[in-house]
Amino acid sequence: MIKEKQTEIFEKEYKLFGNKVLVTQSDFASLKSVFEIDFNLHRNIDSERILIIRDWILTSVEQGQPLQIPPFLFSARGNCRVENEKWELKPNRKLFILDGEHTILAIAAVIQYFNRKKLLAEKNFKWREAKKVEQMVQALESVPIGIQIYLDLSEKEETKLMMDIKTDRRQLQSGVVMLNDQRNEYIILTRKIAKNLGQHMEIESKRSRLTDDSSSLTTLSVMYKCSLAMWEGDLNANENVSRKLVKAPYVMEGTTITFYQTWLQLFPTHAYNREKFVSGLTVIQIALAYTVYLLHKDYHLSYQDAIHKLKVLKTACTWEHDDALFSHLFDHSTGRIKTICKKTTIKQTANQFIKRIVEKG
């Protein structure tokens, strides 16, 4: 185990794909003093993702729910040594995190939030509240965290490992979460809706992304993101969080099914053909859901009326990549729209939809 005042830290060594790997378990209180983030390696720290994970951790701790944190991966970079058949961290040396950086920063942010809350309670002589907050900090700092440390990775191997982790494994995790999660009510609702719609459209349940040769119109993961965009205007969907529905399940289920049934009336035949039509692309599908949210929020339409308004788009565009409606996304070099699904592109596309709907009445 990692100890804050000592360097003896590891107990078991394994070989993984030809690399030496140390495996152990620690709590955050001990771990926080021996790791470092190499920002030359992690150039794309996502602050929004940190906030999403932070909110999930904060809610879980405050509600007393168990935290299941995936193992952290580190690279030793020669900073470990064998001493009396025990692995030790050399004095004043650090481990460099390869995977788990957003979670580790989110945990630190939650602890910082609790410490400020405790200080404020003490200033106002709310000793019982301060004690409760202190207990939550202790609970979070003592959560067991699995750790894997690669001992002999080169710089190139570190980069490759990170790329592998952040593509293939993350996509698999998303599919697994969508099929099994019981904490997120939106995911549970999405599975129920997909089962209801299964006889009308093909929905990919295991993969989070679709290739051009797939005959599925959408995925469970995209449907989940559509629900959050439509009901909350949230474009930062993350499957690994606990969420409550904003309305009664039966209300949201019926309305959301109507939204997807409208796709079948709205989209062209063979809408899943992503090489020809944009209707099977994530950015378009989420933008349609966000359009419903904006029509409800800014134009004060009911959800049913807002969904009905989408039907105007059936004759307002061809749904082909080079249609003028998608000119803000069109890439002349490829002859297709850019499929990068960012908040800005979703908002731009939703605004284009609304503009066309208003024009057509």
Side-chain angles (χ1 to χ4, degrees):
M1 294 293 292
I2 295 181
K3 300 178 181 179
E4 190 151 0
K5 300 297 185 182
Q6 300 178 19
T7 59
E8 184 180 304
I9 53 177
F10 309 116
E11 298 175 355
K12 295 183 180 181
E13 178 187 326
Y14 298 89
K15 280 277 189 176
L16 188 61
F17 304 116
N19 295 297
K20 291 182 180 180
V21 180
L22 299 174
V23 179
T24 187
Q25 181 175 286
S26 175
D27 54 50
F28 185 78
S30 302
L31 179 63
K32 64 184 179 182
S33 64
V34 297
F35 87 91
E36 191 168 319
I37 296 177
D38 182 348
F39 289 99
N40 290 319
L41 194 62
H42 297 279
R43 296 179 180 178
N44 297 312
I45 297 290
D46 188 342
S47 57
E48 292 181 354
R49 186 176 174 197
I50 293 172
L51 290 175
I52 290 170
I53 299 174
R54 182 203 66 179
D55 290 346
W56 162 63
I57 294 173
L58 184 60
T59 301
S60 298
V61 174
E62 288 181 332
Q63 295 180 355
Q65 298 175 353
L67 280 174
Q68 296 179 344
I69 298 175
F72 294 154
L73 270 62
F74 295 90
S75 179
R77 296 187 179 179
N79 292 335
C80 291
R81 67 184 179 193
V82 180
E83 187 73 26
N84 298 324
E85 298 183 349
K86 293 286 186 179
W87 284 97
E88 296 183 348
L89 191 64
K90 296 177 182 178
N92 303 316
R93 301 292 183 89
K94 301 286 186 178
L95 301 173
F96 291 85
I97 192 162
L98 297 178
D99 186 50
E101 68 278 8
H102 293 94
T103 302
I104 214 164
L105 290 172
I107 294 173
V110 173
I111 292 174
Q112 187 179 42
Y113 166 81
F114 279 141
N115 286 334
R116 288 198 302 266
K117 188 174 181 179
K118 177 189 173 186
L119 182 61
L120 181 61
E122 289 173 341
K123 285 184 177 179
N124 293 319
F125 305 105
K126 297 180 179 179
W127 307 115
R128 185 173 297 176
E129 180 181 341
K131 182 64 176 177
K132 183 179 179 181
V133 174
E134 182 181 1
Q135 290 172 345
M136 287 190 287
V137 171
Q138 292 173 350
L140 180 55
E141 288 188 329
S142 63
V143 170
I145 300 172
I147 302 171
Q148 297 180 19
I149 301 93
Y150 286 83
L151 294 174
D152 52 6
L153 292 181
S154 66
E155 183 177 334
K156 183 179 292 186
E157 288 172 330
E158 282 185 357
T159 303
K160 185 179 184 305
L161 178 60
M162 281 185 56
M163 290 179 63
D164 291 342
I165 289 168
K166 297 179 188 305
T167 53
D168 297 338
R169 200 194 70 180
R170 288 274 164 81
Q171 291 178 22
L172 173 63
Q173 285 183 343
S174 176
V176 171
V177 170
M178 290 304 304
L179 286 172
N180 298 284
D181 189 279
Q182 298 297 326
R183 301 171 300 123
N184 189 321
E185 293 183 359
Y186 278 92
I187 291 179
I188 297 171
L189 180 66
T190 298
R191 289 198 296 262
K192 189 174 182 180
I193 290 171
K195 185 176 181 181
N196 186 294
L197 293 169
Q199 59 184 328
H200 303 292
M201 66 171 70
E202 188 173 343
I203 300 167
E204 172 60 51
S205 60
K206 295 181 180 179
R207 296 164 58 192
S208 60
R209 296 182 182 180
L210 296 176
T211 57
D212 283 346
D213 59 356
S214 173
S215 60
S216 296
L217 179 59
T218 190
T219 71
L220 282 179
S221 181
V222 173
M223 291 175 69
Y224 166 69
K225 293 172 183 176
C226 284
S227 290
L228 285 175
M230 187 171 83
W231 289 103
E232 297 191 27
D234 185 354
L235 302 180
N236 297 312
N238 185 305
E239 295 91 346
N240 293 291
V241 296
S242 177
R243 281 186 178 272
K244 301 292 184 182
L245 299 179
V246 294
K247 295 181 182 294
Y250 73 90
V251 174
M252 294 180 67
E253 181 182 350
T255 303
T256 308
I257 287 175
T258 300
F259 171 69
Y260 292 117
Q261 289 173 333
T262 301
W263 283 12
L264 302 178
Q265 302 173 47
L266 187 61
F267 292 157
T269 306
H270 306 303
Y272 60 83
N273 185 344
R274 278 163 279 276
E275 291 185 333
K276 183 176 182 180
F277 301 114
V278 303
S279 43
L281 302 180
T282 299
V283 63
I284 300 299
Q285 294 178 357
I286 298 177
L288 284 169
Y290 191 61
T291 299
V292 174
Y293 171 79
L294 293 177
L295 288 172
H296 173 71
K297 174 177 172 287
D298 298 337
Y299 292 82
H300 311 294
L301 298 179
S302 68
Y303 271 95
Q304 291 289 345
D305 287 343
I307 292 170
H308 182 74
K309 284 291 185 182
L310 294 181
K311 296 178 182 179
V312 170
L313 299 172
K314 181 175 179 63
T315 57
C317 72
T318 64
W319 297 103
E320 295 183 2
H321 289 260
D322 60 355
D323 190 282
L325 189 60
F326 312 113
S327 59
H328 62 292
L329 297 175
F330 189 69
D331 186 342
H332 290 275
S333 65
T334 62
R336 300 181 60 172
I337 70 167
K338 303 170 185 176
T339 57
I340 297 176
C341 191
K342 294 183 178 180
K343 286 196 300 182
T344 52
T345 57
I346 293 172
K347 289 180 178 180
Q348 284 178 319
T349 307
N351 287 331
Q352 288 294 99
F353 285 149
I354 289 176
K355 181 179 178 181
R356 193 62 59 91
I357 289 170
V358 171
E359 288 174 353
K360 297 289 183 179

